[in-house]
Amino acid sequence: MINVAILGYGTVGSGVFEVIRTNNESISKKVGKKVNVKYVLDIKDFPADDPVNEVLCRNFETIVNDPEVSIVVEVLGGVEPSYTWTTECLKRGKSVCTSNKELVAKHGAELIALAKENNANFFFEASVGGGIPIIRPLNHSLSADEITEITGILNGTTNYILTKMSMEGLDFDTVLKEAQEKGYAELHPEADVEGYDACRKIAILTSLAYGKQVDFEDIYTEGITKITDADIKYAKALSKHIKLLGTSRKVDGQVYAMVCPMMIGKMSPLYGVKDVFNAVFVNGNMVDDVMFYGRGAGKLPTASAVVADVVEAARNLDRTLPMIWSKDKLELGSIDDFKHAFFVRVPADVVQEDVKKAFGDISVVTLEEMKDEYAFVTPVMKEKDFQNKVKDFKSVISVIRMNTK
């Protein structure tokens, strides 16, 4: 029998407990031994009929000191005490499986190295994309490729908001309130709507793709709070959707990464990803384009990915599976050199000839209901060149980067 301990009985923790109990026969068959949840650590009290009471534990030391526990599931969230407890478990040779993107983004390379030192594994499939398998494919299935691009819709909350704004013509604040009422957005949604959640996820994916530490603080990040219903109307006129994308791209040996709203067209594989769904597009120099799509969050989809890691850890007790992510820092290229086309809204009194003189061959977009303004789309250009040119136009209403597909 292989004993598992779960740290935290919140949304994901209770999902992990449910998945292991419900699918125990098939999970145990795939492992070759019975998989048993011996402990669930939580300080809260639960209803008397909740089966978790049979294994509820109040003290972490009980778990870390129990030699019968081989695998620990960390689903507490946040950096502490998650980091300290994960470190202690790995030092005792216990494999750790987590969905904690904050922990992985900040300490991933260190914890992978520590797991290797102690013949254990540190797995984190659910930290990016919830139930979407992307970590293992990057680490194994695409290991023959040089990754040239990773671009993803990595946050279900923002995708839900932008989808509702597009489909129903609602403004940001109205949809955010609705998302909070439905439980898709937190009471304090800054991590989602300001892009911080997506930033941590693209940092993890970029670190894995290129084998070195990418600090999320180094990634340019812009959220969706400035996107208006007027921007959505223009996007529709251009047959495009606005999505919050996390992107890393390797160009001439230099890796660039950013998180920001983007206008994307029908040729993009991410165009039709709606509601709370996530998707990750990957380009490799041999495999070309592949995409991973599914529910990026939620109790059971995320728990399913965590338990898949538990199965992998159980199959490889006392053996560390290779994962290349060194502590050496990957220096990202300056955002100044990142290339995009740009969608720009300006007041109607901005002279189009002046715009053409500054940007060259632009495409002008007008909407019948917005006679006091117009918009234009620039050619593809470097960020620094665009910023140098646009600063001469003091009354710019908004700017959104555009995917060339």
Side-chain angles (χ1 to χ4, degrees):
M1 183 162 62
I2 296 175
N3 287 306
V4 177
I6 302 171
L7 307 185
Y9 197 66
T11 300
V12 179
S14 60
V16 171
F17 186 64
E18 182 179 340
V19 170
I20 293 177
R21 280 174 59 88
T22 303
N23 293 348
N24 192 264
E25 184 178 345
S26 63
I27 289 169
S28 298
K29 189 179 293 184
K30 288 166 185 172
V31 170
K33 292 182 179 179
K34 181 172 176 58
V35 176
N36 173 61
V37 177
K38 187 172 183 180
Y39 302 108
V40 174
L41 178 71
D42 208 294
I43 60 172
K44 298 189 295 292
D45 292 318
F46 300 96
D49 61 348
D50 193 323
V52 76
N53 288 302
E54 300 172 12
V55 293
L56 198 59
C57 172
R58 306 293 191 186
N59 187 354
F60 170 72
E61 295 302 319
T62 301
I63 293 170
V64 76
N65 289 322
D66 189 339
E68 293 185 351
V69 173
S70 304
I71 300 168
V72 175
V73 172
E74 186 283 306
V75 283
L76 296 164
V79 176
E80 286 294 355
S82 300
Y83 169 68
T84 298
W85 288 356
T86 296
T87 298
E88 289 187 34
C89 289
L90 292 173
K91 286 179 178 178
R92 303 291 182 94
K94 303 179 191 295
S95 291
V96 177
C97 306
T98 185
S99 61
N100 189 339
K101 57 188 168 289
E102 294 173 87
L103 174 68
V104 178
K106 190 169 184 64
H107 295 293
E110 175 190 346
L111 294 172
I112 289 168
L114 184 61
K116 185 177 181 180
E117 288 173 15
N118 293 279
N119 293 320
N121 285 288
F122 178 63
F123 291 147
F124 44 92
E125 182 63 68
S127 66
V128 177
I132 304 171
I134 181 61
I135 302 297
R136 198 164 285 111
L138 265 184
N139 197 43
H140 297 290
S141 305
L142 298 175
S143 58
D145 276 66
E146 291 284 338
I147 302 300
T148 57
E149 180 180 352
I150 302 172
T151 296
I153 296 170
L154 300 170
N155 182 273
T157 299
T158 52
N159 204 43
Y160 173 83
I161 291 171
L162 292 171
T163 299
K164 291 284 283 188
M165 289 177 69
S166 179
M167 294 180 70
E168 299 181 19
L170 302 173
D171 63 80
F172 173 83
D173 290 332
T174 300
V175 179
L176 174 59
K177 184 178 179 182
E178 182 181 319
Q180 289 170 323
E181 290 170 352
K182 289 188 173 184
Y184 294 150
E186 301 289 344
L187 180 62
H188 302 288
E190 290 80 9
D192 293 324
V193 299
E194 296 293 356
Y196 307 142
D197 175 80
C199 176
R200 286 178 171 84
K201 292 173 180 177
I202 198 64
I204 292 168
L205 294 177
T206 306
S207 297
L208 281 173
Y210 303 111
K212 292 185 177 182
Q213 173 67 25
V214 174
D215 293 336
F216 62 85
E217 297 94 339
D218 294 341
I219 297 176
Y220 174 85
T221 302
E222 183 181 315
I224 66 168
T225 55
K226 295 179 182 178
I227 300 297
T228 67
D229 49 341
D231 294 321
I232 298 290
K233 289 176 182 177
Y234 276 109
K236 284 186 174 181
L238 290 165
S239 297
K240 294 185 181 295
H241 286 160
I242 300 175
K243 302 289 186 183
L244 181 71
L245 300 185
T247 298
S248 64
R249 192 178 301 153
K250 192 173 186 179
V251 181
D252 298 328
Q254 182 68 63
V255 178
Y256 302 88
M258 71 186 308
V259 173
C260 64
M262 296 277 289
M263 278 193 187
I264 60 175
K266 294 179 180 178
M267 293 300 291
S268 169
L270 300 172
Y271 179 85
V273 180
K274 300 177 181 178
D275 205 60
V276 294
F277 283 83
N278 285 193
V280 183
F281 163 86
V282 180
N283 178 271
N285 67 338
M286 297 297 160
V287 75
D288 202 19
D289 295 345
V290 292
M291 191 169 86
F292 304 85
Y293 169 85
R295 291 193 177 274
K299 175 178 176 176
L300 293 180
T302 305
S304 173
V306 175
V307 177
D309 278 347
V310 170
V311 170
E312 191 76 354
R315 287 170 168 170
N316 293 279
L317 294 178
D318 303 317
R319 184 170 77 97
T320 304
L321 295 183
M323 191 177 297
I324 300 173
W325 179 351
S326 78
K327 297 177 188 177
D328 296 337
K329 185 173 178 177
L330 178 64
E331 296 294 340
L332 296 174
S334 170
I335 186 180
D336 287 347
D337 297 321
F338 221 142
K339 290 184 178 181
H340 301 287
F342 295 83
F343 166 85
V344 187
R345 287 169 54 202
V346 292
D349 59 5
V350 172
V351 179
Q352 288 189 24
E353 285 305 313
D354 291 342
V355 176
K356 290 178 181 178
K357 191 178 296 182
F359 291 99
D361 187 18
I362 62 168
S363 301
V364 176
V365 188
T366 58
L367 295 179
E368 185 64 30
E369 65 266 43
M370 296 182 190
K371 295 187 181 298
D372 58 345
E373 67 173 78
Y374 69 94
F376 63 91
V377 178
T378 73
V380 174
M381 61 177 59
K382 288 184 177 182
E383 187 90 22
K384 64 181 177 183
D385 293 336
F386 171 77
Q387 297 297 343
N388 285 335
K389 294 174 186 295
V390 80
K391 68 183 180 184
D392 294 331
F393 298 89
K394 305 298 183 185
S395 50
V396 169
I397 299 169
S398 68
V399 174
I400 301 174
R401 295 167 183 83
M402 299 186 72
N403 191 301
T404 52
K405 293 184 180 180

